Amino acid sequence: MPAPERIPAGSVTTDPVTLLTHGELTVRGQIREASNAVLHCTVAHEGAEAACVYKPVAGERPLWDFPDGTLAQREVAAYEVSRATGWDLVPPTVLRDGPYGQGMCQLWIEPSGDEALLALVDADEPGEGWKAVGRAQIDEDRTALLVHADDPRLRRLAVLDAVINNGDRKGGHLLAADGRLYGIDHGVTFHAEDKLRTLLWGWAGEPLTEEAVEVLQALRDALKEGAALAERLAGLITAAETEALCARVDSLLESGRHPEPSGEWPAIPWPPV
């Protein structure tokens, strides 16, 4: 089945959340390489139309270390937290019924493909404008330095990942489009135990920016019992996961620094892309 026409996010003329929530979903194809069911769709409502991704819960593979909730719910929870930060690093995402039952529906972001965010370099130190992640094995006798861009948008995403406890921030989950950066695929997030695995370790141990501190302070207030964000998250993640989420925000504010790898498990997801 041919892939659907991918309509740029900027061409959506109505509120994307309204469009995703109430629009008619039409399946156009499937992403075969995904580990769970991921469907290309178009969504249309009151004359507006856009491309989107629909991931039905029925197509999820059970994860032994994430026994509670669903991947779809955690994807929506990640969007809700991202929206609360004001950074809008996660494309609009909703939980809704579709052709194959309840699932998450997310606005399709078409990458511009003209920005280098990650690289492997034959050097011991990153060049100007880059941050080192660590050595990567290229083949049996060769390693290279894995680096990511020293980009304020990536730095915000590193903070968001620390907040939502992202266990799978791979290079393929970074999309640059029209000058903006988006993170996708947040099904393994919000665990009550520390699960942070990411390629964005370049700022590990460094002080948080003033902007990040202000955002985290506002997020802490937004997570207070009875607040709108806390109420929305209550239907998506468990009480224990919400409590751990609040604790992570408090910990970041108390330390004032980006987290560092714990050393208790691989800090970089595999495969990294």
Side-chain angles (χ1 to χ4, degrees), residues 35-206:
S35 56
N36 297 281
V38 181
L39 303 176
H40 274 146
C41 298
T42 53
V43 59
H45 180 64
E46 295 184 348
E49 184 178 79
C52 62
V53 171
Y54 164 52
K55 299 182 182 180
V57 172
E60 296 180 3
R61 296 181 181 180
L63 297 174
W64 67 268
D65 54 342
F66 281 81
D68 299 315
T70 65
L71 303 180
Q73 288 172 309
R74 289 188 286 271
E75 293 245 33
V76 177
Y79 165 68
E80 292 289 353
V81 173
S82 169
R83 184 172 66 164
T85 66
W87 287 333
D88 291 325
L89 294 166
V90 178
T93 313
V94 303
L95 195 67
R96 59 162 291 170
D97 286 331
Y100 299 100
Q102 188 181 67
M104 83 79 153
C105 189
Q106 184 176 84
L107 192 68
W108 179 276
I109 301 297
E110 180 66 17
S112 3
D114 55 358
E115 291 192 59
L117 300 173
L118 296 162
L120 287 167
V121 296
D122 289 318
D124 293 326
E125 298 293 335
E128 184 178 356
W130 295 89
K131 304 289 286 186
V133 179
R135 304 299 300 185
Q137 195 75 34
I138 304 301
D139 53 41
E140 186 176 346
D141 302 314
R142 180 182 168 220
T143 65
L145 185 64
L146 176 63
V147 298
H148 64 66
D150 188 5
D151 186 312
R153 301 168 303 169
L154 279 181
R155 191 166 189 171
R156 292 172 187 144
L157 189 58
V159 173
L160 178 65
D161 281 343
V163 167
I164 66 176
N165 198 15
N166 192 351
D168 196 32
R169 175 59 72 207
K170 298 176 179 176
H173 300 167
L174 303 172
L175 303 179
D178 301 322
R180 294 192 58 183
L181 178 75
Y182 298 91
I184 61 170
D185 286 352
H186 297 103
V188 287
T189 49
F190 294 101
H191 201 288
E193 300 174 8
D194 187 3
K195 297 279 187 179
L196 185 60
R197 288 189 294 271
T198 176
L199 291 178
L200 303 180
W201 287 116
W203 297 282
E206 292 187 15

